[in-house]
Amino acid sequence: MPPKPAAAKTTPTKPATKAPTKAATDNKTPAKGVNATAPSKTGATTKAPSSGATKAGTAAKAAAPIKKVLVPEEIQLKEIAGVMNYGGAVGEKLKQSGRWMLIIDRNGNCGTFLKYRDVNMIQVTSQAQFATEPMRKALMGSLKFGKPAVLDISDSDQEKIMDVASEKYNEIYPECWTDLMDHSIMKDDNKWGKLYQENDPDDYDNKYDYHADQFQFIVLTNLDPASTAMENFFPVIVN
């Protein structure tokens, strides 16, 4: 039998590629004058914060008050009484500062001096004194009779004691420490009136019989105070 003829090879034809339409081309190229926003990895577009939001954030930061640490004034022990009465150059600076005095007495002589003056003193190292009720009575008595309330933080942890003290005062009534530090407790009879309790003597109940305008709050220490105390008080070194 004669051999079968070989089958002819056929070359497959490639499918014709469609030319992109004008609409598709236009979608890829942004028009002039239009800002193209690059898509994020999640598929959403990211938008830069507006200048108004940025300015508002900057203004909020700028509005935060900055506390100034005052350079301690140095005086002699015999001058402390005059400064407490806002006398002399240092006393005038104390008055203008709007802060309470922080006495730094490394020799311990000022503490003895103050004990013999007409002040109400609370020593934080005494459990009997450094408690809510004695502190309330001392503060109320100082406001009524217009005399200094002295908080003696000597021989204590200077980094922690002021936080502990503020908590103690706030146990007397909420925000008592704030009212004390901003002087409003001596200007508002509704605030010092919160100190009175029913078991107190009747003469303490009359809010109008207080000499609160003569009140002072003084912190005394024999150690180097914490930076927070230096920021909030008027420091005086007694030599």
Side-chain angles (χ1 to χ4, degrees), residues 136 139-140 143 172-196 207 210 212:
R136 180 188 70 83
L139 183 58
M140 182 172 63
L143 285 160
I172 298 174
Y173 73 80
E175 301 300 322
C176 179
W177 179 254
T178 300
D179 295 344
L180 182 59
M181 291 301 294
D182 66 11
H183 297 208
S184 62
I185 197 170
M186 60 184 290
K187 301 173 183 176
D188 187 344
D189 58 6
N190 290 318
K191 291 185 177 181
W192 75 63
K194 295 178 183 179
L195 300 173
Y196 176 79
K207 296 187 295 183
Y210 276 65

Side-chain angles (χ1 to χ4, degrees), residues 143-214:
L143 285 160
K144 178 173 176 57
F145 297 106
K147 57 185 181 181
V150 180
L151 181 66
D152 186 358
I153 62 172
S154 300
D155 300 321
S156 64
D157 187 338
Q158 301 295 291
E159 295 296 331
K160 298 179 180 179
I161 190 58
M162 296 309 297
D163 289 335
V164 177
S166 65
E167 291 174 1
K168 290 282 188 182
Y169 278 103
N170 285 337
E171 288 175 3
I172 298 174
Y173 73 80
E175 301 300 322
C176 179
W177 179 254
T178 300
D179 295 344
L180 182 59
M181 291 301 294
D182 66 11
H183 297 208
S184 62
I185 197 170
M186 60 184 290
K187 301 173 183 176
D188 187 344
D189 58 6
N190 290 318
K191 291 185 177 181
W192 75 63
K194 295 178 183 179
L195 300 173
Y196 176 79
Q197 294 184 359
E198 292 183 358
N199 58 343
D200 292 326
D202 292 339
D203 55 339
Y204 283 86
D205 189 23
N206 185 0
K207 296 187 295 183
Y208 303 102
D209 188 26
Y210 276 65
H211 301 278
D213 59 323
Q214 302 172 32

Side-chain angles (χ1 to χ4, degrees), residues 14 53 76 108 110 114 126 139 177 183 191-192 206 222 226 231:
K14 295 182 179 179
Q76 300 298 317
C110 191
L114 289 173
S126 169
L139 183 58
W177 179 254
H183 297 208
K191 291 185 177 181
W192 75 63
N206 185 0
N222 61 353
E231 291 174 356

Side-chain angles (χ1 to χ4, degrees), residues 38-133:
S40 64
K41 292 182 179 180
T42 58
T45 57
T46 57
K47 186 177 181 181
S50 64
S51 59
T54 304
K55 289 180 180 179
T58 305
K61 290 182 180 179
I66 299 175
K67 294 182 179 179
K68 181 180 179 181
V69 177
L70 302 179
V71 177
E73 300 286 341
E74 295 194 30
I75 62 173
Q76 300 298 317
L77 179 61
K78 62 182 180 181
E79 299 177 82
I80 190 64
V83 174
M84 290 172 63
N85 292 324
Y86 301 114
V90 176
E92 182 62 26
K93 288 182 181 179
L94 170 62
K95 185 177 181 179
Q96 294 299 324
S97 72
R99 303 184 184 190
W100 297 122
M101 182 162 52
L102 168 64
I103 300 176
I104 305 168
D105 174 35
R106 297 186 179 91
N107 298 321
N109 296 326
C110 191
T112 304
F113 170 79
L114 289 173
K115 287 179 182 178
Y116 290 97
R117 291 186 63 84
D118 190 18
V119 303
N120 287 334
M121 182 178 289
I122 295 292
Q123 292 178 298
V124 300
T125 53
S126 169
Q127 292 184 354
Q129 295 180 20
F130 196 47
T132 305
E133 186 62 7

Side-chain angles (χ1 to χ4, degrees), residues 23-35:
T25 305
D26 290 343
N27 288 338
K28 291 182 180 179
T29 307
K32 291 184 179 180
V34 178
N35 293 328

